[in-house]
Amino acid sequence: MIRMNEVFKEYANGTKALKGVTFELNAGEFAFLVGPSGSGKSTIIKLLVGEIAPSDGEVVVNGQDMDNIKMRKMPYLRRTIGCIFQDFRLIEYKSVYENVAFAMRVIGASNKDIRQRVPYVLELVGLEYKAKARPDELSGGEQQRVAVARALVNNPKLIIADEPTGNLDPARSLEILLLLKKINELGTTVLVVTHEKPLVDQFSQRVIAIDGGRIVSDALDRYYNYESQ
Amino acid sequence: MKVNRNRTFYYLKEGISSIFAHSLMSFASICIIVAFLVIMGTFILLAVNINSLIGDLESENIVLAYVHENLSENDARALEPVILAIPNVTSAVFISREEALQSFIGRYDDTDRYDDVDATWFRHRFAVYVSDVAQIAETQNSLRYIREIATVNANLAIANGLVTFRTVVSWVSVIMVAVLLAISLFIMQNTIKLATFERREEISIMKMVGATNSFIRWPFIVEGFILGLIGALIAYGATWSLYGLASRSVIEFAGFFQLMPLSSNVSVPIFLLYTGIGFGVGVGGSGIALNRYLKV
Ligand SMILES: Nc1ncnc2c1ncn2[C@@H]1O[C@H](COP(=O)(O)OP(=O)(O)O)[C@@H](O)[C@H]1O
Ligand SMILES: [Mg+2]
């Protein structure tokens, strides 16, 4: 599903964001990627979705080697990945329903498929009754659930969430993580990036810890142990 | 092709709805297209009118070819086809020595002073009209080669003046249009840059969920197309009414001169030019501005 092998990333300004990152995430797995601010978490996400290219090393996502991918193929790879971000990234002037349907429209789905699939994912995130609302009429937690529905709607194999709870209070944050875990139970591979230790502590899941561009720990429940060393 | 019909409908719907969703930007784009087209149209119409004015002056700028006095009036008249055979000559009007005398006397008030002037003192002559004043010297030489023509009198000073005037007008028009084009392209580019900047989130979401570049581009092309068309139509209407207004005031204040009527051989090319530029600026502009965001 995801394989990073000795990956280095140096930005144009000389910042060495990753210094030899190696990890794998298999199909059906759920994992947290944790680490302090500036440790390289978002850089890993950007490499996985092909937004940037590695300076060295191997990045494979859903069977595709990101080094050899042609620009024309990139959209089709991205359809196999659902992305969620801290700032929700909803379109302000579209309704909840349209925001989710939009993700299907822009990859050319038929109206029939859209009418079937959108209500289903809205129900899954518990927002079917807010379908006609606009994003600014929703709470932060509800907006993020719309973003989760959008990430899900094209039935991706992998969901990547970069600090999905960064703008939410603890209760809403837990709600989102429980929702992502539920989606994982339904068969989707999930990678969640966060730096909120209390949140991660509540789950008994794999935790990959990164610091200064290097993986410092990768185990079940090890985030706590790593922090206290 | 059910899917394709779906897509075409999607492009149209997205393009049209985004015109309303970003109404301020749409309004700004239309204004710039209208302003540019109206100013450009004004210059074109001005140039067309100046050209037709020059054309009028040219047609009056005649060459006089005097016939040898030993030729009879009939022999002199017989020279007409020979003169007409010269390149650049459009027509030749025969003026007999009697007519020449009458028109000479007619120029003065005290006609009895010339009672004793005899028509035989004058030469028969042809008033020769040319199509291009720039070649008037060559035409004059060709006329001199005809043995029966005694001498030729062309007004070279006026001819040269007209040629210079026409050259200046052409250059000024070209420079004005080029400057206008540069200015409006600059403004348009920035307007569209702002418009796409406003929508960078939307575009990045489309990229994120795996939309192809062409799928992202089409709604913008539809939008640019519609904005360009609206701008062109408004500009055409505005030009039409401004020109009508100008024509009426020219007739009122300068009765001796009138603007060319907006006949179809002027209005149709202008309409096509407007819609063409409207589409070009609308579609091309949004396409170029989008490229920045599609390279991710
Ligand atoms: N586009 C960029 N250009 C230069 N440096 C960058 C860029 N993006 C991130 N960085 C730097 O790379 C390092 C890792 O950043 P990032 O991956 O965003 O960390 P995190 O998401 O863990 O907070 C930081 O030092 C950051 O300043
Ligand atoms: Mg980050």
Side-chain angles (χ1 to χ4, degrees), chain B:
Chain B
M1 293 302 303
K2 192 161 181 256
V3 172
N4 268 341
R5 189 145 40 89
N6 251 345
R7 285 193 180 191
T8 313
F9 185 71
Y10 164 84
Y11 296 145
L12 285 174
K13 190 168 159 275
E14 279 297 310
I16 291 167
S17 71
S18 98
I19 289 177
F20 292 103
H22 310 89
S23 47
L24 199 68
M25 276 304 163
S26 307
F27 180 72
S29 312
I30 291 176
C31 285
I32 285 160
I33 293 175
V34 169
F36 168 60
L37 288 178
V38 168
I39 295 172
M40 195 194 65
T42 306
F43 267 97
I44 290 173
L45 287 171
L46 198 67
V48 167
N49 270 289
I50 289 176
N51 253 323
S52 95
L53 183 64
I54 292 176
D56 288 349
L57 290 176
E58 272 177 359
S59 69
E60 279 166 22
N61 187 64
I62 48 171
V63 180
L64 286 174
Y66 299 97
V67 181
H68 260 297
E69 40 275 8
N70 51 16
L71 260 73
S72 70
E73 183 173 334
N74 278 344
D75 289 345
R77 279 182 187 277
L79 288 174
E80 189 177 331
V82 181
I83 292 170
L84 283 177
I86 296 171
N88 197 31
V89 170
T90 52
S91 64
V93 176
F94 181 75
I95 300 167
S96 67
R97 44 170 63 123
E98 284 76 21
E99 286 162 348
L101 171 64
Q102 288 315 312
S103 86
F104 172 78
I105 293 173
R107 273 185 233 163
Y108 301 92
D109 294 333
D110 42 353
T111 40
D112 33 327
R113 245 182 78 188
Y114 303 100
D115 275 351
D116 51 348
V117 174
D118 187 355
T120 55
W121 298 358
F122 284 84
R123 283 166 166 161
H124 295 305
R125 65 201 64 181
F126 281 92
V128 179
Y129 295 85
V130 299
S131 59
D132 181 9
V133 273
Q135 292 171 33
I136 207 159
E138 286 92 319
T139 309
Q140 190 178 14
N141 281 335
S142 304
L143 286 166
R144 282 197 184 116
Y145 268 113
I146 303 172
R147 233 183 333 114
E148 293 84 354
I149 298 293
T151 180
V152 182
N153 193 348
N155 197 333
L156 285 177
I158 289 182
N160 289 336
L162 277 178
V163 169
T164 312
F165 185 53
R166 195 164 58 181
T167 313
V168 169
V169 168
S170 309
W171 274 108
V172 169
S173 312
V174 167
I175 291 168
M176 284 310 295
V177 168
V179 168
L180 271 175
L181 199 68
I183 292 172
S184 52
L185 271 181
F186 177 76
I187 298 172
M188 193 69 201
Q189 194 189 334
N190 281 287
T191 313
I192 293 170
K193 225 186 243 173
L194 269 173
T196 47
F197 182 75
E198 207 184 41
R199 267 176 270 183
R200 68 199 183 286
E201 273 289 87
E202 220 171 304
I203 296 167
S204 81
I205 292 167
M206 292 170 96
K207 296 238 66 164
M208 180 181 84
V209 300
T212 57
N213 282 352
S214 71
F215 210 94
I216 296 172
R217 222 181 235 124
W218 270 108
F220 285 93
I221 292 177
V222 169
E223 186 179 348
F225 189 85
I226 294 171
L227 291 179
L229 182 65
I230 294 173
L233 290 179
I234 294 175
Y236 187 70
T239 309
W240 185 278
S241 26
L242 280 177
Y243 196 74
L245 213 69
S247 299
R248 279 193 293 280
S249 26
V250 163
I251 289 174
E252 204 168 311
F253 296 111
F256 59 91
F257 171 64
Q258 66 179 53
L259 291 182
M260 284 174 63
L262 257 188
S263 61
S264 62
N265 60 345
V266 180
S267 62
V268 170
I270 284 187
F271 181 77
L272 294 178
L273 189 73
Y274 275 25
T275 44
I277 290 179
F279 289 160
V281 171
V283 174
S286 59
I288 292 165
L290 262 184
N291 274 344
R292 255 152 48 94
Y293 297 98
L294 293 183
K295 282 198 192 106
V296 181

Side-chain angles (χ1 to χ4, degrees), chain A residues 14-25:
Chain A
T15 308
K16 291 185 167 69
L18 299 182
K19 301 162 185 166
V21 167
T22 301
F23 76 95
E24 271 188 49
L25 190 68

